[in-house]
Amino acid sequence: MSNLEQTLSIIKPDAVERNLGEEIKKIFLNNNLKILQSKKIQITKDEAAEFYKVHQSKPFYNALCSYLSSGPIIVMILEGKNAVLLNRQIMGSTDPKLAEENTIRKKFGISIDKNSVHGSDSLENAQAEIKFFFKN
Ligand code: IDP
Ligand code: MG
């Protein structure tokens, strides 16, 4: 009961471009996650840089920010029991080549950078990321 959580999910440009939005949403719904809010937006490179600032020292940071801002994305608030970890399990490993069977990244990911989805990695980051996209 007390572990009812909310987490942020993003369907990234490579998946939106291939019209995988509805299919990916169904996977969340079939795995006991509710979609509380969903919107299709495009963000600027500066916004992507702010969102991904934890990665600013990484060699792939610039490419990552260019990529996330390169086309429409679908941002969602997911809710469910242990939603943060559950979403990470449904997504699979960062590198689609290493992702487990039946995960979103295994099914749809193209490469480590075009890996179709983002999911918050902790409850604390989930709260910050939800605020970032859904300022109520
Ligand atoms: P995550 O998305 O599984 O949480 P993170 O390590 O937080 O993975 O990295 C954020 C995003 O940065 C990844 O989803 C991926 O798109 C990209 N990324 C991570 N590692 C690499 C890399 O080694 N090369 C290129 N892109 C990477
Ligand atoms: Mg991450």
Coordinates of all heavy atoms in Angstrom, one line a residue, residues 52 55 88 118-121, ligand 2:
Y52 N 18.9 16.1 -18.5 CA 20.0 15.1 -18.5 C 21.2 15.6 -17.8 O 22.3 15.0 -17.9 CB 20.3 14.6 -19.9 CG 19.5 13.4 -20.4 CD1 19.0 13.4 -21.7 CD2 19.3 12.3 -19.6 CE1 18.3 12.3 -22.1 CE2 18.6 11.2 -20.1 CZ 18.1 11.2 -21.3 OH 17.3 10.2 -21.8
H55 N 24.2 13.7 -16.4 CA 25.2 13.1 -17.3 C 26.1 14.1 -18.0 O 26.8 13.7 -19.0 CB 24.4 12.4 -18.4 CG 23.6 11.2 -18.0 ND1 24.2 10.1 -17.3 CD2 22.3 10.9 -18.0 CE1 23.2 9.2 -17.0 NE2 22.1 9.7 -17.4
R88 N 11.5 0.2 -14.7 CA 12.9 -0.2 -15.2 C 13.0 -1.6 -15.7 O 13.7 -1.9 -16.6 CB 13.9 0.1 -14.0 CG 14.0 1.5 -13.5 CD 14.7 2.4 -14.5 NE 16.0 2.0 -14.9 CZ 16.9 2.7 -15.6 NH1 16.6 4.0 -16.0 NH2 18.0 2.2 -16.0
H118 N 12.8 6.2 -21.8 CA 13.5 6.7 -20.6 C 12.6 6.3 -19.4 O 11.4 6.4 -19.5 CB 13.7 8.2 -20.6 CG 14.1 8.7 -19.2 ND1 15.4 8.8 -18.8 CD2 13.3 9.2 -18.2 CE1 15.4 9.3 -17.5 NE2 14.1 9.5 -17.2
G119 N 13.2 6.0 -18.3 CA 12.5 5.8 -17.0 C 13.3 6.3 -15.9 O 14.5 6.0 -15.8
S120 N 12.7 6.9 -14.9 CA 13.4 7.4 -13.7 C 14.0 6.2 -13.0 O 13.5 5.1 -13.0 CB 12.4 8.1 -12.8 OG 11.6 9.0 -13.4
D121 N 15.2 6.5 -12.4 CA 15.9 5.4 -11.8 C 15.8 5.4 -10.3 O 16.4 4.5 -9.6 CB 17.4 5.4 -12.2 CG 18.1 6.7 -11.8 OD1 17.5 7.5 -11.1 OD2 19.3 6.9 -12.1
Ligands
MG2 MG 19.1 6.9 -16.3

